[in-house]
Amino acid sequence: MKKKTLGKIISISGATVRTDLTGLTLFERVSVGEHNLTGEVVRLDKDGAVLQVYEDPSGLGLNEPVQGHGVSLATTLGPGLLSVMFDGLQRPLDALVEKTGPFIHPIHLSSTLDLTKQWSFTPFVNRGDTVAGGVKIGYVDEGPFQHPIIIPADKNGRVKNIAQGTITLDEPLCELDDGSKIFGYQSWPMRVPRPYRKKISPQGPVVTGQRIIDFLFPLARGGTSIIPGGFGTGKTILEQTIAKHADVDIVIYAGCGERGNEMSELIEEFLHLVDPRTNCPLMDRTVLVVNTSNMPVAAREASIYTAVTLGEYYRDLGFHVLLLADSISRWAEALREISSSLEEMPGEEGYPTYLASRLSSFVERAGVVETLSGDIGSLSMILSVSPPGGDFTEPVTQALLRTSGAFLMLDMTLANSRHFPAINWMQSYSLYQNILADYFKKNISNDWEVLRKLCREIMHKEESLKEIMEIVGIEGLQEQDRLVMTVAEKIRFDFLAQNAYTADAFCEPQKTMDIIRNITDQYLRGQDYTAGKSENETL
Amino acid sequence: MRLSEHKYRTTSRIAGQLLYVENVHAARIGEVVKVLGPHNIALEGEILEIVKDNILIQLFGETRGLNTENLEIIFTDTIRQVPLARDIIGRRFNGSFEPLDGLPMFYASEWRPARGYPINPVARLGPEEFIETGISAIDGLNTLVKGQKLPIFSCAGLPAKELVAHILQNARLRESSKRFAVIFVALGLTFNEYSFYLEALQNIESEFVAIINMADDPVMERLMAPRFALTVAEYMAFDEDMDILVLVTDMTNYCDALREISNARKELPGRRGYPGYMYSDLASLYERAGRIRDSKGSITMIPVITMPEDDITHPIPDLTGYITEGQIVLSRELHQQGVFPPIDVLPSLSRLMQKGIGPGKTRDDHRDLANQLYKNYAKGRELKKLEAIVGRDGMSEADQLLLDFADLFENEFVHQEKQTRSIYKTLDKGLEILERFDLLQHNLQKKTEA
Ligand SMILES: Nc1ncnc2c1ncn2[C@@H]1O[C@H](COP(=O)(O)OP(=O)(O)O)[C@@H](O)[C@H]1O
Ligand SMILES: [Mg+2]
């Protein structure tokens, strides 16, 4: 059972607190001070511990109490998460408004989920059945979904009792013969990946509806794309547009250290937009984890773990999940602030030396898995990166380049000429293109690969002709080359660019193929024509 | 819990603005302390760090003349608060929130923490109401919206303050039934700049509150002044339902103060010596702009930034641009051409423009028109580079036309000297120059103010 011990604060520096409390464990959750601020143990020594406080520490005093919870900082998982907006510590923001008004005050909120809400439960198992961790014992209806209830990973046994019909989360649904009670929700330590049977290699794509992504730099289910770009290059709009349209079951959107107005706009839109697949508001398939730039920095660090744990949970229920984070750089900066307040040895640009390993273990939590109950679920990620000064040689971009599978480089020049999405087609890449080629050929269009090659070829040619044209003008180019220039311009304007504020914000893969086929056909015909002409001339 | 103030005379060290006190038995992070010394020295400070019974205090105000022997340190058991009341309107204060206008301090009806609390994102109301500044490059192409934070990125020697004065004199909300006030925050200003702004403020019709930290005032106050101002702004906007425009100049001085104090605290320096937490620190100011549900008021913020070395990738404009909802960028080249205001519309951006324009807000054709102006000007500017290589004669007629368009756009649309243009005038001007070059696309047609 939980051990509860009491100590006191002996030093405070910003949000970093020392306590004389012993017997704590690393990453254990603690309550700090008279107001029970949430904190986490970040360092242990023989006569005490160092704690990171996840809320505004102003007013925290010497000798105030510290209490260990005996468990790690955890994410609560169960029905009722969808369409809720949480802060980085998974406190529902609506409930916070009720408690403290339009401004967030440091406060302890007791529960993440509404435990008294009634759900209709349909069991899958009967008395006497043997169940193990991950097994689905039934489901509740939640919006457009059937939300399976699964046995927590560490439990197994024979079913002694199982509920049916109306239930609430505060009562056990099922009892096992060893006396353990199964509730409709569970909690999981956010920094630990959730278990699965095995990882399997990615098969299908995450269709984003962005032509340049789906056609040139596709993302595989279970894969990770990164979107680095300076300010104003369109990271947020791209993330949000994909969040609206991606063909996945569940979207987890982590607004990590960015603007408050952007988040309120997103919430507003998602409440009113209808998901064409389910005819329900988009919000019903979305969980928002919001820790804006002015909210406590340490909670910003925790926010992406809250988000990824939520993502893994839905994956374990057999869903296809997309985690979007905007921006992962703000997480890294939070890590840097915490590390420097702990007076750790800084690495490159002041980031802790473990930056790269933390990032790669985070990205590793994406993947397609066979779940403990034998289903297939996937968690894919699209992470925006905000490099200082738009310089991609900085540590966060570099570390992510090594672990992610697709690199969508946003280009300031394109953004300044209002070409959006400002993804640079020369420098970006996707390592998933080969895995996905078969899928696209089979399911979308036979000529996918051929057209892709041709399109890239035209864009490459344009790039090398551009310099010549700057000197001789388009009139000075040969007819063949002029054709390249006109077709490339058409590809840029009519195919690669996609205005997020119009109906063109989303494009079906079929339509994507039609548009590009149309343009490249013109190119091929034009080529035949000019070739024919020059033949005639030589005759 | 302590019940009252308590005093110590156990100063162990003073280093610049930092004071160390030992043998303290109770203290809170952020607690305000008063420091009394010989010759009626009275300072305030804030507790930065507590290491057992050793306390580190950040002092505000002038520390010259202090010594460790005869200081009395009073712990007040409160955090830094701002006095608030309706009577605050029309007053001027320094960076320690003391009146500068010779009048007595007003009677506070309440006190609130200077650092404020973060707005809960779900309690925000998205900005969507157009603010007319009278400046075509802003109203037409980079529209300012109520509740937005839109900085001006200037370079040393460019007329940022003239632009700001122009905005102050003309800024109006289309729906002007509500009370509107300006909060002016001067950070590290020279006397000349200060008097310029004060004159401008006195010439406007709106009410204002000014918080002034001059170039020779204590650096620590430079960090507090905008926080005081924003607490006042929140009170006026969200308690008194007013529309507030917070003008902060110059945020570059603020960031330099942040660097100076961070270095004094021996913190690890980040890019160009600025502390690693500068992004979060700036966000804690800028994010206080906005609107909230259940309140009719709003806080709109225009911070002015002087880009060191004219470099937009310098950490100050860079981190600012990552937080604010766009930026208005001034250009040395346009200034040299005599264009006023010298706004370069290409790198400028108002991220909230789409929310504030169009039918019922500005005019139906606004969006289309802005796009066409932008597109043609961008092309013209691109061609200018080509012109430098091949010469005008080597270019096609269509290209020459765009070159001329770009010139005219700069000289007639962006350039407006002291004139003020209504949004309708701005849009008509745009239509007119597109028409003059036959660049107007069919979906637009000339419409004038009804
Ligand atoms: N797909 C798009 N379609 C139209 N406009 C876009 C698109 N992407 C970005 N923009 C424009 O660029 C601006 C900045 O985009 P944003 O996503 O906020 O940039 P970032 O997050 O990289 O700073 C937006 O306000 C919008 O005007
Ligand atoms: Mg963004």
Side-chain angles (χ1 to χ4, degrees):
Chain A
M1 255 340 319
K2 287 178 185 175
K3 68 172 184 287
K4 288 225 167 149
T5 41
L6 206 63
K8 59 184 198 302
I9 296 177
I10 53 174
S11 348
I12 316 173
S13 166
T16 307
V17 168
R18 254 200 89 80
T19 175
D20 60 356
L21 183 60
T22 52
L24 294 167
T25 53
L26 211 52
F27 296 120
E28 179 170 342
R29 179 174 179 162
V30 285
S31 293
V32 183
E34 283 162 5
H35 298 288
N36 286 322
L37 304 186
T38 302
E40 193 178 19
V41 178
V42 287
R43 192 183 288 162
L44 289 168
D45 43 41
K46 65 178 190 311
D47 43 30
V50 178
L51 318 171
Q52 183 67 40
V53 176
Y54 282 104
E55 289 167 83
D56 177 10
S58 313
L60 208 56
L62 196 60
N63 296 326
E64 285 186 19
V66 172
Q67 192 173 61
H69 286 235
V71 292
S72 301
L73 206 56
T75 307
T76 307
L77 305 165
L81 294 166
L82 291 173
S83 84
V84 179
M85 295 140 278
F86 296 105
D87 77 353
L89 296 176
Q90 210 197 7
R91 295 181 303 185
L93 288 167
D94 277 316
L96 272 177
V97 172
E98 269 166 44
K99 277 257 166 117
T100 74
F103 294 89
I104 301 176
H105 294 243
I107 182 189
H108 181 74
L109 266 190
S110 47
S111 84
T112 292
L113 289 171
D114 182 354
L115 299 183
T116 57
K117 185 175 167 159
Q118 297 193 328
W119 300 93
S120 155
F121 177 68
T122 311
F124 288 150
V125 293
N126 294 311
R127 246 185 110 129
D129 286 356
T130 313
V131 293
V135 165
K136 296 176 178 171
I137 55 169
Y139 68 85
V140 299
D141 289 308
E142 181 178 13
F145 297 98
Q146 291 186 343
H147 186 127
I149 305 297
I150 54 177
I151 299 277
D154 57 351
K155 300 238 161 81
N156 60 66
R158 214 181 266 272
V159 175
K160 209 162 96 187
N161 273 314
I162 180 100
Q164 174 148 28
T166 306
I167 58 129
T168 53
L169 294 183
D170 55 359
E171 301 257 324
L173 288 178
C174 168
E175 202 178 327
L176 303 184
D177 54 0
D178 64 357
S180 52
K181 296 181 166 61
I182 310 296
F183 287 81
Y185 72 104
Q186 47 181 288
S187 69
W188 187 263
M190 57 166 74
R191 297 183 193 279
V192 182
R194 283 175 58 83
Y196 44 81
R197 254 188 221 160
K198 61 171 192 247
K199 265 202 176 169
I200 51 188
S201 51
Q203 288 137 355
V206 175
V207 173
T208 64
Q210 303 297 304
R211 289 185 286 265
I212 182 162
I213 298 180
D214 295 341
F215 184 63
L216 290 181
F217 313 112
L219 169 62
R221 283 204 164 143
T224 301
S225 295
I226 61 166
I227 316 179
F231 65 82
T233 51
K235 297 179 294 296
T236 303
I237 303 280
L238 190 56
E239 292 257 356
Q240 297 191 351
T241 311
I242 295 173
K244 284 179 208 159
H245 302 295
D247 73 332
V248 291
D249 302 314
I250 304 283
V251 169
I252 314 285
Y253 192 98
C256 178
E258 298 269 320
R259 302 178 183 88
N261 276 333
E262 274 170 5
M263 294 317 300
S264 77
E265 191 187 323
L266 181 80
I267 294 166
E268 194 61 28
E269 262 190 302
F270 275 47
L271 285 173
H272 294 109
L273 285 177
V274 168
D275 181 359
R277 279 165 289 262
T278 58
N279 270 326
C280 290
L282 262 181
M283 206 60 185
D284 287 3
R285 69 161 195 177
T286 312
V287 186
L288 293 176
V289 179
V290 179
N291 216 93
T292 54
S293 57
N294 55 337
M295 287 159 75
V297 167
R300 190 201 297 168
E301 195 278 328
S303 70
I304 66 159
Y305 293 104
T306 298
V308 75
T309 307
L310 288 169
E312 285 178 340
Y313 171 68
Y314 287 106
R315 172 204 71 189
D316 294 344
L317 301 183
F319 291 117
H320 293 294
V321 185
L322 175 60
L323 168 68
L324 299 136
D326 182 25
S327 131
I328 209 77
S329 296
R330 305 297 168 222
W331 168 81
E333 287 163 9
L335 194 71
R336 177 169 68 186
E337 282 185 42
I338 293 170
S339 160
S340 99
S341 71
L342 295 174
E343 291 173 355
E344 291 173 342
M345 185 73 125
E348 226 180 321
E349 294 202 11
Y351 287 108
T353 46
Y354 48 78
L355 170 75
S357 64
R358 288 274 169 96
L359 271 173
S360 60
S361 32
F362 174 75
V363 170
E364 265 309 291
R365 292 176 76 169
V368 188
V369 304
E370 186 184 317
T371 67
L372 295 180
S373 61
D375 294 312
I376 302 295
S378 71
L379 174 60
S380 319
M381 296 187 187
I382 302 184
L383 313 173
S384 79
V385 186
S386 318
D391 173 5
F392 298 121
T393 61
E394 56 91 38
V396 181
T397 314
Q398 288 306 312
L400 278 168
L401 271 176
R402 293 196 295 273
T403 49
S404 56
F407 170 59
L408 307 174
M409 186 192 117
L410 298 187
D411 185 324
M412 190 60 88
T413 319
L414 288 176
N416 278 344
S417 66
R418 299 292 199 262
H419 173 105
F420 291 113
I423 298 171
N424 180 307
W425 48 87
M426 301 300 293
Q427 314 257 355
S428 303
Y429 61 76
S430 163
L431 302 178
Y432 307 116
Q433 67 185 58
N434 295 332
I435 309 172
L436 293 174
D438 277 343
Y439 177 93
F440 280 113
K441 273 193 279 188
K442 238 183 264 156
N443 297 285
I444 311 290
S445 181
N446 225 335
D447 51 4
W448 187 79
E449 229 175 345
V450 182
L451 292 183
R452 211 169 160 275
K453 260 205 186 118
L454 185 55
C455 173
R456 301 207 64 166
E457 192 184 300
I458 298 169
M459 298 320 285
H460 271 104
K461 279 191 186 155
E462 183 198 35
E463 195 64 22
S464 46
L465 286 172
K466 245 176 24 197
E467 282 170 31
I468 308 175
M469 196 183 86
E470 273 181 10
I471 301 167
V472 300
I474 190 150
E475 270 78 24
L477 290 182
Q478 298 200 323
E479 207 163 341
Q480 287 278 358
D481 294 342
R482 245 183 290 166
L483 178 70
V484 171
M485 298 309 281
T486 2
V487 172
E489 184 173 20
K490 218 168 161 44
I491 293 179
R492 280 188 284 119
F493 282 131
D494 299 343
F495 183 72
L496 298 178
Q498 234 172 308
N499 190 330
Y501 300 107
T502 61
D504 193 33
F506 174 80
C507 190
E508 292 278 353
Q510 288 297 350
K511 193 172 160 210
T512 295
M513 295 308 297
D514 290 346
I515 300 176
I516 191 67
R517 195 179 299 114
N518 217 317
I519 302 176
T520 48
D521 271 358
Q522 284 174 17
Y523 175 70
L524 294 176
R525 264 185 278 125
Q527 257 189 339
D528 288 347
Y529 177 70
T530 46
K533 244 189 4 189
S534 54
E535 237 165 70
N536 282 343
E537 275 159 20
T538 44
L539 274 178
Chain B
M1 257 267 262
R2 298 196 312 266
L3 296 173
S4 63
E5 298 191 339
H6 54 145
K7 296 179 190 173
Y8 295 87
R9 285 181 172 278
T10 46
T11 303
S12 60
R13 205 162 80 120
I14 307 176
Q17 300 288 119
L18 300 177
L19 183 79
Y20 296 78
V21 185
E22 48 188 24
N23 301 326
V24 175
H25 72 265
R28 298 175 185 284
I29 276 295
E31 178 173 349
V32 175
V33 295
K34 290 186 189 138
V35 177
L36 304 179
H39 315 297
N40 293 327
I41 292 179
L43 292 176
E44 283 205 352
E46 201 175 283
I47 296 180
L48 274 188
E49 205 174 274
I50 303 169
V51 182
K52 298 191 180 137
D53 56 358
N54 291 301
I55 309 294
L56 169 61
I57 294 165
Q58 169 81 58
L59 291 174
F60 304 102
E62 181 58 70
T63 54
R64 220 169 298 156
L66 295 189
N67 66 50
T68 55
E69 303 293 284
N70 34 28
L71 288 185
E72 185 170 276
I73 321 291
I74 304 171
F75 286 63
T76 63
D77 201 19
T78 54
I79 59 167
R80 198 141 181 97
Q81 309 247 27
V82 186
L84 298 165
R86 285 184 186 168
D87 296 345
I88 200 167
I89 288 172
R91 303 293 310 269
R92 276 181 284 140
F93 303 90
N94 69 10
S96 284
F97 216 74
E98 295 156 353
L100 275 181
D101 45 16
L103 300 171
M105 191 63 185
F106 58 89
Y107 178 75
S109 59
E110 72 183 289
W111 294 77
R112 288 197 195 148
R115 282 174 211 282
Y117 295 104
I119 302 181
N120 188 323
V122 303
R124 276 186 191 269
L125 208 54
E128 54 176 25
E129 287 171 75
F130 170 61
I131 298 180
E132 189 177 87
T133 65
I135 290 166
S136 295
I138 298 178
D139 295 349
L141 295 181
N142 296 288
T143 318
L144 176 66
V145 185
K146 229 160 87 175
Q148 182 172 16
K149 38 195 181 296
L150 186 64
I152 295 172
F153 285 6
S154 182
C155 307
L158 297 193
K161 62 178 188 304
E162 286 77 7
L163 172 61
V164 167
H166 196 112
I167 296 176
L168 278 181
Q169 267 147 28
N170 300 299
R172 80 187 169 101
L173 305 164
R174 295 268 322 277
E175 167 236 343
S176 49
S177 56
K178 243 190 300 157
R179 277 174 76 197
F180 174 73
V182 175
I183 296 185
F184 175 65
V185 191
L187 301 176
L189 286 200
T190 62
F191 185 74
N192 278 345
E193 292 168 313
Y194 169 62
S195 10
F196 176 90
Y197 278 117
L198 212 63
E199 198 183 312
L201 281 169
Q202 267 145 6
N203 287 334
I204 64 174
E205 282 165 31
S206 327
E207 301 164 301
F208 72 88
V209 178
I211 298 186
I212 314 285
N213 168 271
M214 302 289 289
D216 55 354
D217 283 340
V219 169
M220 189 57 208
E221 290 184 0
R222 210 158 289 164
L223 301 188
M224 289 316 292
R227 298 189 157 83
F228 290 142
L230 286 159
T231 302
V232 174
E234 282 165 357
Y235 168 78
M236 288 163 71
F238 304 136
D239 289 48
E240 299 291 317
D241 285 344
M242 295 173 77
D243 285 317
I244 304 297
L245 179 66
V246 182
L247 183 79
V248 195
T249 179
D250 183 318
M251 281 303 289
T252 302
N253 294 335
Y254 174 91
C255 294
D256 285 348
L258 197 69
R259 174 169 67 178
E260 187 179 331
I261 281 165
S262 165
N263 288 355
R265 288 178 193 166
K266 305 221 161 28
E267 290 167 346
L268 195 70
R271 284 201 154 208
R272 303 230 189 169
Y274 295 95
Y277 52 77
M278 190 154 90
Y279 174 84
S280 301
D281 185 276
L282 288 175
S284 76
L285 298 178
Y286 295 143
E287 280 287 328
R288 291 174 78 174
R291 304 198 302 157
I292 57 176
R293 283 179 213 285
D294 310 324
S295 166
K296 295 197 193 72
S298 65
I299 300 176
T300 307
M301 207 189 302
I302 303 188
V304 177
I305 280 138
T306 304
M307 298 185 280
E309 298 145 40
D310 297 8
D311 178 9
I312 198 168
T313 68
H314 182 281
I316 297 174
D318 189 51
L319 294 181
T320 298
Y322 268 123
I323 304 163
T324 54
E325 281 132 359
Q327 64 280 336
I328 302 293
V329 184
L330 303 190
S331 136
R332 202 174 280 288
E333 223 174 301
L334 289 177
H335 178 59
Q336 280 157 358
Q337 286 172 35
V339 173
F340 180 85
I343 297 174
D344 186 351
V345 300
L346 297 188
S348 297
L349 168 72
S350 164
R351 291 166 189 262
L352 301 179
M353 173 168 176
Q354 303 299 333
K355 312 274 162 219
I357 64 171
K361 291 176 174 164
T362 55
R363 211 166 72 182
D364 302 15
D365 59 346
H366 191 158
R367 189 161 303 154
D368 247 339
L369 184 60
N371 285 341
Q372 291 193 27
L373 285 169
Y374 190 96
K375 220 171 62 198
N376 287 308
Y377 177 60
K379 273 194 210 150
R381 275 271 294 269
E382 188 62 37
L383 288 167
K384 272 197 191 177
K385 287 187 222 150
L386 184 57
E387 187 192 17
I389 307 171
V390 300
R392 190 179 164 97
D393 297 339
M395 298 170 70
S396 73
E397 219 165 282
D399 286 355
Q400 293 187 15
L401 188 85
L402 281 170
L403 278 178
D404 294 340
F405 172 81
D407 282 337
L408 198 77
F409 177 83
E410 288 168 4
N411 293 324
E412 292 198 8
F413 187 84
V414 178
H415 181 65
Q416 60 184 78
E417 276 181 302
K418 294 267 173 277
Q419 254 181 49
T420 291
R421 295 198 191 125
S422 71
I423 180 66
Y424 304 109
K425 279 221 184 86
T426 288
L427 296 177
D428 285 344
K429 187 91 208 163
L431 273 177
E432 180 205 317
I433 60 172
L434 280 171
E435 255 180 354
R436 228 190 290 174
F437 286 86
D438 229 2
L439 290 166
L440 198 61
Q441 276 170 14
H442 62 277
N443 50 348
L444 284 177
Q445 44 180 305
K446 188 143 171 95
K447 288 177 222 157
T448 33
E449 196 174 350

